[in-house]
Amino acid sequence: MASSSSTPPFTVRWGIMATGWIAETFTKDLLTNPASRGVDDVRHELIAAASSSSKQTADGFLAKVKAPSSAKAYGSYHELVADPDIDIVYVATPHSHHFQNAMLALDAGKNVLCEKSLTVTAAQTHKLVATARAKNLFFMEAVWTRYFPLSIQVRKLIQDGAIGTVYRAIADLSLGNDIGDGNLSFADSHRMVNPDLAGGALLDLGIYSLTWVFQALYHVQPEEEKEAPNVLAAVTKYHTGADESTSIILQFPKHKTTGIALTSLRIATDVDGHNTAGPAIRIQGSAGEIQVMGPAYRPLQYKVLTKSGGGKVDVVDCPIPRDAARDWGHGMFWEADEAARCLRDGKRESASLPWSESIAIMEVMDEALKQGGVAYSDLITTDVYDPQSPLNTGKR
């Protein structure tokens, strides 16, 4: 991945859409020194950040992330996407807003890295992909975990047959937010449970469980043999109407494989915060098993157990590198590096998470929510692009 020392790194100029915690975490990663993670072929430049509420909010965001003085603050998303100095826009709004916000950027001719879950409906994902294709723009879903060296190593182990033929994958991302009176610890207005923000366990947490199932059972399938799974979902709704627990069985009949994706806001995958409960992900093959220790979104260790191993377990630690100068390193820089390399190489989609796979995963979530009777408002489910939608302007 690295360049020869004589070649200057390829520089990508970023615009950040939204100023919440995920935008902050991503931008701080963007501003770390690539050398701290052994990268010298690409680099990142922060051009601007935008808040839909005010320029002051964007100014505060830039100060918080210790942005360079050259970075601009905008009080609207329209101003951000109109900035000619920006190569790519990172969409960090709630997923309820992703379709309209990503369309705004694509419509303005900007490449886009859009947070997960990519959209609220599969129809919206189809529309975004069609727009990126028609406009010849780069577009990628920011499922950061997929670009971790750990994930790349696990996918390679599966493809190399390290655990034989893989037949089953079980993945869980659940948070123990039950407070004992039938309620969760989130206010009803909180994005995790607010239907107006497409809240619920599946779109926010379950996407990671599905990511691991798809990495293990779908991504590694030869392209000509890829099959969409049959989907059976069990959904429990919270009193707000969002899902509080969703369990999905995915069956890939041609490949004789089964995936189980679990998510809940009632019980925790990791009961004590020390992974005492065991792995969050189990990938099971005819000759062994790969166990990934949680959390599913930011795993730092995996284990390989084999039938013939005589009880020996290979434990592989994959720490996330820190930039000592900034005292920071979270793991979102790898997806930024992937986007940069795709732009450098003239690619419109990433082989690590191609458009077709984002669509396939969104279709599973669509079907699961439908089976569970979870419905969201027309404002956030429409696939009709409106540049003046309140989701783009911040006005109600």
Side-chain angles (χ1 to χ4, degrees):
M1 287 292 190
S3 65
S4 64
S5 54
S6 59
T7 312
F10 179 80
T11 300
V12 176
R13 303 172 303 167
W14 291 84
I16 308 297
M17 186 184 283
T19 54
W21 67 270
I22 200 144
E24 186 184 328
T25 304
F26 176 83
T27 305
K28 282 160 81 171
D29 260 22
L30 206 61
L31 293 169
T32 57
N33 182 352
S36 65
R37 57 186 176 274
V39 167
D40 68 359
D41 61 325
V42 292
R43 61 182 290 273
H44 308 282
E45 203 175 307
L46 177 61
I47 298 299
S51 162
S52 64
S53 58
S54 71
K55 181 180 179 297
Q56 286 75 12
T57 304
D59 276 320
F61 173 83
L62 293 173
K64 201 187 275 188
V65 300
K66 299 183 179 151
S69 57
S70 58
K72 294 170 269 193
Y74 290 122
S76 78
Y77 297 159
H78 283 77
E79 288 174 279
L80 181 82
V81 301
D83 188 325
D85 297 330
I86 291 171
D87 299 317
I88 184 167
V89 171
Y90 170 64
V91 175
T93 52
H95 31 256
S96 50
H97 291 47
H98 287 173
F99 171 71
Q100 296 292 352
N101 297 168
M103 283 293 289
L104 185 74
L106 292 170
D107 192 47
K110 297 299 184 200
N111 301 293
V112 170
L113 174 65
C114 182
E115 255 315 316
K116 58 84 215 152
S117 295
L118 192 52
T119 54
V120 181
T121 71
Q124 291 177 333
T125 298
H126 277 285
K127 190 80 161 280
L128 285 170
V129 165
T131 302
R133 184 179 280 120
K135 289 182 166 282
N136 198 27
L137 292 166
F138 172 77
F139 178 62
M140 185 172 100
E141 183 176 10
V143 184
W144 60 312
T145 319
R146 204 172 263 255
Y147 310 96
F148 277 34
L150 180 148
S151 296
I152 294 164
Q153 288 172 36
V154 168
R155 293 197 297 264
K156 186 167 191 322
L157 285 168
I158 294 168
Q159 285 175 309
D160 289 350
I163 57 168
T165 303
V166 172
Y167 286 107
R168 188 169 66 186
I170 305 164
D172 179 35
L173 178 56
S174 299
L175 303 177
N177 293 102
D178 185 292
I179 55 173
D181 61 355
N183 289 309
L184 297 167
S185 58
F186 304 108
D188 289 356
S189 58
H190 192 280
R191 66 176 183 82
M192 287 297 291
V193 293
N194 183 350
D196 292 340
L197 297 175
L202 180 59
L203 291 178
D204 207 281
L205 305 178
I207 174 74
Y208 290 107
S209 306
L210 286 169
T211 289
W212 280 103
V213 168
F214 268 76
Q215 287 201 111
L217 303 180
Y218 179 93
H219 187 81
V220 294
Q221 295 171 4
E223 204 53 49
E224 63 283 359
E225 293 175 22
K226 292 255 165 96
E227 66 173 322
N230 297 326
V231 177
L232 180 64
V235 177
T236 304
K237 286 204 278 191
Y238 192 46
H239 66 246
T240 60
D243 66 300
E244 62 173 52
S245 295
T246 295
S247 304
I248 307 173
I249 299 175
L250 301 115
Q251 183 198 25
F252 299 88
K254 254 188 350 198
H255 294 81
K256 300 181 177 172
T257 60
T258 304
I260 302 170
L262 306 167
T263 185
S264 178
L265 297 172
R266 291 285 181 192
I267 45 164
T269 310
D270 184 9
V271 179
D272 58 6
H274 295 281
N275 278 322
T276 312
I281 295 108
R282 295 177 70 187
I283 300 163
Q284 300 172 310
S286 56
E289 177 171 316
I290 297 168
Q291 299 184 341
V292 182
M293 307 310 286
Y297 54 83
R298 193 177 185 261
L300 302 175
Q301 184 190 82
Y302 67 91
K303 301 174 181 182
V304 183
L305 299 65
T306 57
K307 253 187 195 177
S308 57
K312 180 176 169 286
V313 179
D314 287 333
V315 181
V316 183
D317 290 302
C318 300
I320 292 172
R322 292 182 80 78
D323 177 348
R326 278 190 165 260
D327 189 27
W328 184 260
H330 193 72
M332 300 184 92
F333 32 57
W334 287 309
E335 66 183 359
D337 294 343
E338 173 69 8
R341 291 185 181 113
C342 287
L343 289 175
R344 176 195 67 195
D345 300 341
K347 293 177 180 169
R348 294 298 165 245
E349 56 185 314
S350 163
S352 296
L353 182 51
W355 294 341
S356 57
E357 195 161 345
S358 282
I359 288 169
I361 292 172
M362 199 64 234
E363 285 177 340
V364 168
M365 294 199 288
D366 231 18
E367 178 59 26
L369 291 170
K370 189 185 298 172
Q371 288 182 25
V374 175
Y376 298 112
S377 71
D378 292 346
L379 176 68
I380 66 173
T381 56
T382 180
D383 61 354
V384 177
Y385 167 54
D386 176 9
Q388 296 307 316
S389 164
L391 305 179
N392 280 327
T393 63
K395 298 184 179 74
R396 290 282 172 252

Coordinates of all heavy atoms in Angstrom, one line a residue, residues 140-182:
M140 N -18.9 5.6 -1.3 CA -18.6 4.4 -0.4 C -19.3 4.6 0.9 O -19.5 5.6 1.5 CB -17.1 4.3 -0.2 CG -16.6 3.1 0.6 SD -14.8 3.0 0.6 CE -14.4 3.7 2.2
E141 N -19.8 3.4 1.4 CA -20.4 3.4 2.8 C -19.3 3.3 3.8 O -18.4 2.4 3.7 CB -21.4 2.2 2.9 CG -22.1 2.1 4.2 CD -23.1 1.0 4.3 OE1 -23.1 0.1 3.3 OE2 -23.9 0.9 5.2
A142 N -19.4 4.1 4.8 CA -18.3 4.2 5.8 C -18.5 3.2 7.0 O -18.7 3.6 8.1 CB -18.2 5.6 6.4
V143 N -18.5 1.9 6.6 CA -18.5 0.9 7.6 C -17.0 0.7 8.0 O -16.3 -0.2 7.5 CB -19.1 -0.4 7.1 CG1 -19.2 -1.5 8.3 CG2 -20.5 -0.2 6.6
W144 N -16.6 1.5 9.0 CA -15.1 1.6 9.2 C -14.5 0.3 9.6 O -13.3 0.0 9.2 CB -14.9 2.6 10.3 CG -15.5 2.4 11.7 CD1 -16.8 2.0 11.9 CD2 -14.9 2.5 13.0 NE1 -17.1 1.9 13.3 CE2 -15.9 2.2 13.9 CE3 -13.6 2.8 13.4 CZ2 -15.6 2.2 15.3 CZ3 -13.4 2.8 14.8 CH2 -14.4 2.5 15.7
T145 N -15.2 -0.6 10.3 CA -14.6 -1.9 10.7 C -14.1 -2.7 9.5 O -13.1 -3.5 9.7 CB -15.7 -2.7 11.4 OG1 -16.5 -1.8 12.2 CG2 -15.2 -3.8 12.2
R146 N -14.7 -2.6 8.4 CA -14.4 -3.4 7.2 C -13.0 -3.1 6.7 O -12.4 -3.9 6.0 CB -15.4 -3.1 6.1 CG -15.6 -4.2 5.1 CD -16.7 -3.9 4.2 NE -17.9 -4.6 4.7 CZ -18.4 -5.7 4.1 NH1 -17.8 -6.2 3.0 NH2 -19.5 -6.2 4.5
Y147 N -12.5 -1.9 7.0 CA -11.2 -1.5 6.5 C -10.0 -1.7 7.5 O -8.9 -1.5 7.3 CB -11.2 -0.1 6.0 CG -12.4 0.2 5.1 CD1 -13.6 0.7 5.7 CD2 -12.4 -0.2 3.8 CE1 -14.8 0.8 4.9 CE2 -13.5 -0.1 3.0 CZ -14.7 0.4 3.5 OH -15.8 0.5 2.7
F148 N -10.4 -2.3 8.7 CA -9.4 -2.6 9.7 C -8.4 -3.7 9.2 O -8.9 -4.7 8.5 CB -10.1 -3.2 11.0 CG -10.6 -2.2 11.9 CD1 -11.1 -1.0 11.5 CD2 -10.6 -2.4 13.3 CE1 -11.6 -0.1 12.4 CE2 -11.1 -1.5 14.2 CZ -11.6 -0.4 13.8
P149 N -7.1 -3.6 9.5 CA -6.2 -4.7 9.2 C -6.8 -6.0 9.7 O -6.6 -7.1 9.1 CB -4.9 -4.3 9.8 CG -5.0 -2.8 9.8 CD -6.4 -2.4 10.0
L150 N -7.4 -6.0 10.9 CA -7.9 -7.2 11.5 C -9.0 -7.9 10.6 O -9.0 -9.1 10.4 CB -8.6 -6.9 12.9 CG -9.2 -8.0 13.7 CD1 -9.1 -7.8 15.2 CD2 -10.7 -8.2 13.3
S151 N -9.9 -7.0 10.1 CA -10.9 -7.6 9.2 C -10.3 -8.2 7.9 O -10.8 -9.2 7.4 CB -11.9 -6.5 8.8 OG -12.6 -6.0 9.9
I152 N -9.3 -7.5 7.4 CA -8.7 -7.9 6.1 C -8.0 -9.3 6.4 O -8.1 -10.2 5.6 CB -7.7 -6.9 5.7 CG1 -8.4 -5.6 5.2 CG2 -6.8 -7.4 4.5 CD1 -7.6 -4.3 5.1
Q153 N -7.3 -9.4 7.6 CA -6.7 -10.7 7.9 C -7.7 -11.8 8.1 O -7.5 -12.9 7.6 CB -5.9 -10.5 9.3 CG -4.6 -9.7 9.1 CD -4.0 -9.4 10.5 OE1 -4.1 -10.2 11.4 NE2 -3.5 -8.2 10.7
V154 N -8.8 -11.5 8.7 CA -9.9 -12.5 8.9 C -10.4 -13.0 7.6 O -10.6 -14.2 7.3 CB -11.0 -12.0 9.9 CG1 -12.2 -13.0 9.8 CG2 -10.5 -11.9 11.3
R155 N -10.7 -12.0 6.7 CA -11.2 -12.4 5.3 C -10.2 -13.3 4.6 O -10.6 -14.3 3.9 CB -11.6 -11.2 4.5 CG -12.7 -10.3 5.1 CD -13.3 -9.4 4.0 NE -12.4 -8.3 3.6 CZ -12.3 -7.1 4.1 NH1 -13.1 -6.7 5.1 NH2 -11.4 -6.2 3.6
K156 N -8.9 -13.0 4.7 CA -7.9 -13.7 4.0 C -7.8 -15.2 4.6 O -7.7 -16.1 3.9 CB -6.5 -13.0 4.1 CG -5.5 -13.7 3.3 CD -4.2 -12.9 3.1 CE -3.3 -13.5 2.1 NZ -3.1 -14.9 2.1
L157 N -7.9 -15.3 5.9 CA -7.9 -16.6 6.6 C -9.0 -17.5 6.0 O -8.8 -18.7 5.7 CB -8.0 -16.5 8.1 CG -6.8 -16.0 8.8 CD1 -7.1 -15.7 10.3 CD2 -5.7 -17.1 8.8
I158 N -10.2 -16.9 5.9 CA -11.4 -17.6 5.4 C -11.1 -18.0 3.9 O -11.3 -19.2 3.6 CB -12.7 -16.7 5.4 CG1 -13.1 -16.5 6.9 CG2 -13.8 -17.4 4.7 CD1 -14.1 -15.4 7.1
Q159 N -10.6 -17.1 3.1 CA -10.4 -17.4 1.7 C -9.2 -18.4 1.5 O -9.3 -19.2 0.6 CB -10.0 -16.1 0.9 CG -11.3 -15.3 0.7 CD -11.0 -13.9 0.1 OE1 -10.2 -13.2 0.5 NE2 -11.7 -13.6 -1.0
D160 N -8.3 -18.4 2.4 CA -7.1 -19.4 2.3 C -7.5 -20.7 2.9 O -6.6 -21.6 2.9 CB -5.9 -18.8 3.1 CG -5.3 -17.6 2.4 OD1 -5.7 -17.3 1.2 OD2 -4.4 -16.9 3.0
G161 N -8.7 -20.9 3.4 CA -9.1 -22.2 3.9 C -8.6 -22.6 5.3 O -8.5 -23.7 5.7
A162 N -8.2 -21.5 6.1 CA -7.5 -21.8 7.4 C -8.4 -22.6 8.3 O -8.0 -23.3 9.2 CB -7.1 -20.5 8.0
I163 N -9.8 -22.4 8.2 CA -10.7 -23.2 9.0 C -11.6 -24.1 8.2 O -12.7 -24.4 8.6 CB -11.5 -22.3 9.9 CG1 -12.3 -21.2 9.1 CG2 -10.7 -21.6 11.0 CD1 -13.4 -20.5 9.9
G164 N -11.1 -24.5 7.0 CA -11.8 -25.4 6.1 C -13.0 -24.6 5.4 O -12.8 -23.4 5.2
T165 N -14.0 -25.3 5.1 CA -15.2 -24.6 4.4 C -16.0 -24.0 5.5 O -16.4 -24.6 6.5 CB -16.0 -25.7 3.7 OG1 -15.2 -26.3 2.7 CG2 -17.2 -25.0 2.9
V166 N -16.3 -22.7 5.3 CA -17.1 -22.0 6.4 C -18.6 -22.3 6.1 O -19.1 -22.1 5.0 CB -16.8 -20.5 6.3 CG1 -17.8 -19.7 7.2 CG2 -15.4 -20.2 6.8
Y167 N -19.3 -22.7 7.2 CA -20.7 -23.0 7.1 C -21.6 -22.1 7.9 O -22.8 -22.0 7.6 CB -21.0 -24.4 7.5 CG -20.5 -25.4 6.5 CD1 -19.3 -26.2 6.7 CD2 -21.2 -25.6 5.3 CE1 -18.9 -27.1 5.8 CE2 -20.7 -26.5 4.3 CZ -19.6 -27.3 4.6 OH -19.1 -28.2 3.6
R168 N -21.0 -21.4 8.9 CA -21.9 -20.6 9.8 C -21.1 -19.5 10.4 O -19.9 -19.6 10.7 CB -22.5 -21.5 10.9 CG -23.5 -20.8 11.7 CD -24.3 -21.8 12.6 NE -23.4 -22.3 13.7 CZ -23.8 -23.3 14.5 NH1 -25.0 -23.8 14.4 NH2 -22.9 -23.7 15.4
A169 N -21.8 -18.3 10.5 CA -21.3 -17.2 11.2 C -22.3 -16.6 12.1 O -23.5 -16.5 11.8 CB -20.8 -16.1 10.2
I170 N -21.9 -16.4 13.4 CA -22.8 -15.8 14.4 C -22.2 -14.5 14.9 O -21.0 -14.5 15.3 CB -23.0 -16.8 15.6 CG1 -23.5 -18.1 15.1 CG2 -24.0 -16.2 16.6 CD1 -23.3 -19.3 16.1
A171 N -22.9 -13.4 14.8 CA -22.4 -12.1 15.2 C -23.4 -11.4 16.1 O -24.6 -11.4 15.8 CB -22.0 -11.3 14.0
D172 N -22.9 -10.7 17.1 CA -23.8 -10.0 18.0 C -23.2 -8.6 18.4 O -22.0 -8.5 18.6 CB -24.0 -10.8 19.3 CG -24.9 -10.1 20.3 OD1 -25.8 -9.4 19.9 OD2 -24.6 -10.2 21.5
L173 N -24.0 -7.6 18.3 CA -23.6 -6.3 18.9 C -24.9 -5.8 19.6 O -25.8 -5.4 19.0 CB -23.2 -5.3 17.8 CG -22.9 -3.9 18.4 CD1 -21.8 -4.0 19.5 CD2 -22.5 -2.9 17.3
S174 N -24.8 -5.9 20.9 CA -25.9 -5.5 21.8 C -25.4 -4.7 23.0 O -24.2 -4.9 23.4 CB -26.6 -6.8 22.4 OG -27.2 -7.5 21.3
L175 N -26.2 -3.8 23.4 CA -25.9 -2.9 24.5 C -26.9 -3.0 25.7 O -28.1 -3.1 25.4 CB -25.8 -1.4 24.1 CG -24.9 -1.0 22.9 CD1 -25.1 0.4 22.6 CD2 -23.5 -1.3 23.2
G176 N -26.4 -3.1 26.9 CA -27.3 -3.3 28.0 C -27.8 -2.0 28.6 O -27.3 -1.5 29.6
N177 N -28.9 -1.5 27.9 CA -29.4 -0.2 28.3 C -30.8 -0.3 29.0 O -31.5 0.7 29.2 CB -29.6 0.7 27.1 CG -28.3 1.1 26.5 OD1 -27.8 0.6 25.5 ND2 -27.6 2.0 27.1
D178 N -31.1 -1.5 29.5 CA -32.3 -1.8 30.3 C -32.2 -1.1 31.6 O -31.2 -1.3 32.3 CB -32.5 -3.3 30.4 CG -33.9 -3.6 31.0 OD1 -34.0 -3.3 32.2 OD2 -34.7 -4.1 30.4
I179 N -33.2 -0.3 32.0 CA -33.1 0.3 33.4 C -34.1 -0.2 34.3 O -34.4 0.4 35.4 CB -33.1 1.9 33.3 CG1 -34.4 2.4 32.6 CG2 -31.9 2.4 32.6 CD1 -34.6 3.9 32.6
G180 N -34.7 -1.3 34.0 CA -35.5 -2.1 34.9 C -37.0 -1.8 35.1 O -37.7 -2.4 35.8
D181 N -37.5 -0.8 34.4 CA -38.9 -0.4 34.6 C -39.6 -0.5 33.2 O -40.6 0.1 33.0 CB -39.0 1.0 35.2 CG -38.4 2.1 34.3 OD1 -37.8 1.7 33.3 OD2 -38.6 3.3 34.6
G182 N -39.0 -1.3 32.3 CA -39.6 -1.4 31.0 C -39.0 -0.4 30.0 O -39.2 -0.5 28.8

